[in-house]
Amino acid sequence: MSYLVLARKYRPRNFTEMVGQDHVVQALTNALITQRLHHAYLFTGTRGVGKTTVSRILAKSLNCQGADGQGGITATPCGVCQACTDIDSGRFVDYTELDAASNRGVDEVQALLEQAVYKPVQGRFKVFMIDEVHMLTNTAFNAMLKTLEEPPEYLKFVLATTDPQKVPVTVLSRCLQFNLRPMAPETIREHLQKVLHQEQVSSDLPALRLLARAARGSMRDALSLTDQAIAFGSGVLQEATVRQMLGSVDRSYVFRLLQALAQGDGKTVVETSEALRTHGLSAASTLEEMSGVLQRMAVLQAVPDSAQDDSDPELAEISLLATLMPADETQLLYSICLHGRNELGLAPDEYAALTMVLLRLLAFKPAVTGGATQEKKTLKIAPHSSVEPPAQLPRSRSMPPQATLVVPVAPVPAVTPLVPPAAVTPHGQRLPVRDMPGRQTPAPVSPDPIPQTAKIEAVMVHEQPDSRRDVPLERVAAVPGSPEGDFWYSTVQALIASEAIGAMVRELALQSQLVARDSDQWLLRVERESLNQPGSRERLAAALATAGYPVSLVAEVGRVTDSPARRNAAMAAQAQLVAEKIVFDDPLVQSLMRDFGAKIVPGSIKPV
């Protein structure tokens, strides 16, 4: 007898044997018990999570005849009747599986639907199962829509796909959709333990953990890898042989790297990277393992009392690393590892790219000086500074809301105190300033007397020399006006307001100058040849005729001095200067610029 692989030998035969899909099993079981059966089901999910298996179990539940031949629709098929055994062996007449990946045309779908007019031969229902249904063509989907929406009462559709986004909405709306989720590594590990126990194959727990992680949520992949590991290890599953088969990185390297990064030991990081190169271990696998460890470290740092697998021998090492590394640094390293995996293929040497990623982890580690982490990009005012940040100033009614003022806190130059260091100026006390020639010293805000022991002199800030409040409005270049220009500007603005012209026609009207006009012909001038197109001129002439000017247009290429676009630009510039003058002439703005060195952010002033 030929050997049957584990993925086929241990395929679930009923809903109770299904693993990791309790939400789907519960819904289908209740539907079968209460006889509330839909005519079309859609199972979605990644490879190896049980889409075809659920379809076969559902077909057996609908057609099971019981061990005595008197059974009906049930959620627990017997598995011994003629219908159950034929469905398991793939020879049941009323159960048809169509592989849409190789039969994706409309002819194959029509041939399948032609069987829908015939009642079941052996079973209670005819079941059409279409696998990878997203591979069907649009015409094939359209051919099955009507039958899928209103099939005969004895017909059930079961569709399966790994990419539901490619299935038309018209098909999705006709089906009851179930999403089979990828299985957790713990669920896969427990199922592998049961399978290997029945197969009488010895194994250790770390080897099963490696297989469960390598399966990435697919039970079929896990069983296939287990078959390979049994053959690779001569019937014994051990961590060393499984790790060698998978090409996985020993986590001792990962722990060594993370400990060196936590301590800022660049030498150990480079030496460990060279050891990975020497042993031929995968760089992508290294970063993947580091990401997994960093994720568990982040969980322990955020929730120290979180539930952990006490049987995991790596838990103690991960807990130690979680205490050595700050939480923010853990998050940073995790992000760099994820992005570093995408960059491995861009580098000429995979291991050189791995080394660069590890050194980047070390470079972004905050520098530690004197036992305290240095603050980066953070501005703090020294405790002895006599300058306090100014309070929020009230907004002048004449200041436009778009103006943004930046008021930097200028450092005070060092002065020689006239009193002993013990005399500290009380908090909130106003300091007198030395009177400058030609200026009037502002009166103090508070009438409280100033103690004679706290006489400290300061120099008032001079007025900003680069103030723009005196910019004349006449600097805007005026457009030379003419009667033809005034008439053409008003005509074009009326056409644009009524939406009579658009796109290239509107651009031709805005960029052109009306040179001359006659009773039946107008002459326009444009600067760009690309605007002088016959089609644009004809559409502009049609719009002018609709507006009451039935004329033909002739355009020439030349220098334009008066066009609607130039006038609009001149008016916009004039409005901008007026808005800037209003802001610069505001007394509050002048006070801020003079006393605090404030500057207006360029481009922040916009006319209303």
Side-chain angles (χ1 to χ4, degrees):
M1 182 178 179
S2 61
Y3 174 72
L4 192 63
V5 298
L6 297 179
R8 294 181 58 189
K9 183 177 181 180
Y10 291 95
R11 181 192 291 269
R13 299 290 191 269
N14 51 59
F15 287 124
T16 58
E17 297 179 3
M18 288 287 297
V19 176
Q21 307 297 342
D22 296 338
H23 61 294
V24 177
V25 170
Q26 180 179 352
L28 294 178
T29 300
N30 294 337
L32 291 167
I33 293 175
T34 59
Q35 305 289 313
R36 299 179 64 90
L37 301 175
H38 204 270
H39 62 269
Y41 296 88
L42 175 63
F43 297 115
T44 65
T46 185
R47 75 279 179 274
V49 293
K51 299 184 294 297
T52 306
T53 299
V54 172
S55 172
R56 294 181 179 179
I57 297 175
L58 180 61
K60 289 194 294 184
S61 299
L62 293 174
N63 293 287
C64 181
Q65 301 171 358
D68 54 357
Q70 303 297 323
I73 299 175
T74 177
T76 55
C78 64
V80 297
C81 66
Q82 187 69 25
C84 291
T85 55
D86 287 351
I87 291 175
D88 286 336
S89 59
R91 59 175 182 267
F92 191 62
V93 178
D94 297 322
Y95 178 71
T96 304
E97 287 189 4
L98 178 67
D99 180 19
S102 56
N103 303 278
R104 57 193 305 264
V106 64
D107 296 334
E108 290 83 353
V109 173
Q110 285 180 345
L112 177 67
L113 296 178
E114 288 175 358
Q115 306 176 20
V117 298
Y118 303 106
K119 288 189 176 182
V121 177
Q122 295 180 355
R124 200 174 291 110
F125 293 93
K126 293 178 75 72
V127 180
F128 290 166
M129 195 275 177
I130 305 178
D131 199 8
E132 299 298 338
V133 68
H134 68 276
M135 300 291 288
L136 292 178
T137 61
N138 291 331
T139 53
F141 275 121
N142 294 333
M144 65 182 294
L145 282 180
K146 188 60 180 177
T147 308
L148 184 64
E149 182 178 8
E150 297 178 355
E153 60 180 7
Y154 52 79
L155 178 61
K156 303 294 181 184
F157 280 95
V158 179
L159 311 180
T161 178
T162 56
D163 194 354
Q165 304 296 331
K166 295 182 179 179
V167 179
V169 180
T170 52
V171 175
L172 295 177
S173 63
R174 289 167 167 81
C175 301
L176 203 63
Q177 183 172 347
F178 294 93
N179 183 24
L180 281 74
R181 305 165 186 164
M183 298 173 219
E186 293 77 11
T187 303
I188 297 177
R189 177 177 55 81
E190 293 174 359
H191 186 68
L192 291 181
Q193 283 180 320
K194 297 178 182 178
V195 170
L196 293 177
H197 177 73
Q198 296 182 18
E199 291 289 315
Q200 297 181 355
V201 175
S202 60
S203 61
D204 56 4
L205 198 58
L208 296 182
R209 285 198 179 92
L210 289 175
L211 292 173
R213 286 202 300 263
R216 299 184 184 278
S218 172
M219 186 62 73
R220 182 174 62 223
D221 289 2
L223 292 172
S224 300
L225 289 173
T226 303
D227 259 329
Q228 183 180 354
I230 293 175
F232 189 82
S234 300
V236 179
L237 292 183
Q238 295 181 350
E239 181 184 7
T241 57
V242 172
R243 189 180 297 279
Q244 183 181 0
M245 181 196 75
L246 297 176
S248 301
V249 177
D250 189 353
R251 285 207 169 179
S252 60
Y253 291 102
V254 176
F255 294 147
R256 191 187 313 167
L257 284 172
L258 290 177
Q259 186 173 4
L261 291 171
Q263 298 173 353
D265 187 358
K267 180 181 179 181
T268 303
V269 170
V270 175
E271 290 177 352
T272 307
S273 176
E274 290 299 322
L276 293 172
R277 180 198 295 269
T278 303
H279 292 84
L281 299 177
S282 171
S285 178
T286 302
L287 295 178
E288 182 180 351
E289 294 291 338
M290 290 184 65
S291 301
V293 174
L294 287 168
Q295 184 267 337
R296 296 187 61 183
M297 290 169 53
V299 172
L300 286 174
Q301 291 170 346
V303 187
D305 299 332
S306 59
Q308 298 285 342
D309 187 1
D310 296 334
S311 62
D312 188 359
E314 300 173 351
L315 179 60
E317 190 73 25
I318 294 176
S319 302
L320 177 61
L321 289 174
T323 59
L324 294 178
M325 189 175 297
D328 56 347
E329 188 174 341
T330 302
Q331 296 290 338
L332 177 62
L333 298 189
Y334 179 80
S335 178
I336 294 179
C337 286
L338 289 184
H339 290 284
R341 287 187 61 192
N342 299 329
E343 299 175 0
L344 293 179
L346 303 177
D349 184 3
E350 183 183 45
Y351 295 100
L354 174 63
T355 304
M356 287 301 298
V357 173
L358 297 176
L359 293 179
R360 188 183 310 161
L361 297 174
L362 191 63
F364 278 93
K365 179 180 177 63
V368 178
T369 303
T373 303
Q374 292 180 346
E375 298 287 344
K376 294 185 177 181
K377 298 182 181 180
T378 304
L379 179 61
K380 293 186 177 181
I381 299 177
H384 60 273
S385 176
S386 59
V387 178
E388 296 181 0
Q392 186 175 0
L393 299 176
R395 183 186 298 274
S396 173
R397 295 185 179 180
S398 61
M399 180 186 297
Q402 291 85 354
T404 304
L405 299 180
V406 178
V407 184
V409 180
V412 177
V415 295
T416 304
L418 302 179
V419 294
V424 181
T425 305
H427 177 70
Q429 179 178 339
R430 302 287 298 184
L431 300 179
V433 296
R434 185 169 54 196
D435 192 12
M436 298 297 297
R439 301 185 59 91
Q440 183 178 358
T441 303
V445 177
S446 175
D448 298 338
I450 302 175
Q452 296 297 325
T453 58
K455 293 182 179 180
I456 301 177
E457 295 183 351
V459 180
M460 177 171 287
V461 180
H462 290 280
E463 183 178 352
Q464 284 293 106
D466 57 347
S467 174
R468 298 174 52 194
R469 63 177 183 272
D470 296 330
V471 177
L473 297 180
E474 291 76 8
R475 72 176 185 181
V476 179
V479 177
S482 64
E484 299 296 337
D486 298 338
F487 170 77
W488 182 239
Y489 178 80
S490 59
T491 303
V492 171
Q493 291 299 110
L495 293 177
I496 295 176
S498 62
E499 298 182 355
I501 56 177
M504 290 297 295
V505 182
R506 182 181 65 244
E507 195 67 19
L508 171 61
L510 288 173
Q511 300 293 341
S512 61
Q513 178 180 353
L514 181 59
V515 180
R517 53 176 172 154
D518 201 349
S519 59
D520 58 348
Q521 184 176 348
W522 291 1
L523 175 61
L524 301 179
R525 182 182 298 161
V526 293
E527 289 185 346
R528 290 182 292 175
E529 182 67 32
S530 58
L531 294 175
N532 188 14
Q533 300 296 329
S536 301
R537 292 199 306 270
E538 292 175 1
R539 288 193 291 271
L540 181 56
L544 289 172
T546 305
Y549 303 102
V551 295
S552 61
L553 296 179
V554 178
E556 64 179 10
V557 179
R559 182 172 177 270
V560 174
T561 58
D562 184 9
S563 65
R566 288 178 176 269
R567 293 196 177 200
N568 290 336
M571 289 188 291
Q574 186 75 11
Q576 177 68 26
L577 285 181
V578 171
E580 292 180 2
K581 181 173 177 56
I582 292 175
V583 174
F584 283 113
D585 290 345
D586 187 271
L588 179 58
V589 175
Q590 295 183 10
S591 176
L592 293 175
M593 296 174 65
R594 179 181 63 252
D595 299 336
F596 297 100
K599 294 183 180 179
I600 296 181
V601 177
S604 62
I605 302 177
K606 301 295 181 183
V608 179

